[in-house]
Amino acid sequence: ATAATLRLTLEQVRLAQATAELKRFQLLKHIVAHKQRRKFEIGENVLASLHGVRAYFHHCSDLVSGLVPTMNRFQVEQTAARDI
């Protein structure tokens, strides 16, 4: 009876070890998937931010381009005023 009980206990320990190893593997897999998702989300946010910066500077470029004719006109008028 004692040998049978020991065998049963040993089998339970082996089963518990196998279950623990499976749970550890599943947890590690979950952690890796979470890290990959986090990196992906960070990449998406960086990309969105860069597009925003690009749009901002493009808008600034448009504003400056619109001001160039006025600036040139002021420059001509200023030069003419100096010559008087």
Side-chain angles (χ1 to χ4, degrees):
T2 304
T5 306
L6 248 100
R7 262 187 252 112
L8 181 61
T9 304
L10 184 59
E11 190 58 36
Q12 288 172 340
V13 168
R14 286 181 182 154
L15 182 61
Q17 283 177 331
T19 302
E21 186 65 22
L22 178 62
K23 294 288 184 187
R24 188 183 71 81
F25 176 76
Q26 288 171 338
L27 177 62
L28 189 61
K29 186 177 172 185
H30 178 74
I31 290 170
V32 168
H34 182 72
K35 283 182 179 180
Q36 288 175 339
R37 183 69 189 170
R38 187 178 65 202
K39 286 180 183 177
F40 175 78
E41 291 294 331
I42 289 170
E44 287 288 301
N45 289 332
V46 167
L47 195 57
S49 296
L50 288 174
H51 278 295
V53 168
R54 181 175 151 244
Y56 171 77
F57 282 106
H58 185 72
H59 181 65
C60 290
S61 172
D62 289 346
L63 288 173
V64 170
S65 295
L67 289 174
V68 167
T70 305
M71 287 171 43
N72 289 338
R73 185 171 44 83
F74 284 162
Q75 182 67 46
V76 168
E77 291 172 3
Q78 193 70 23
T79 303
R82 281 190 204 125
D83 293 339
I84 296 177

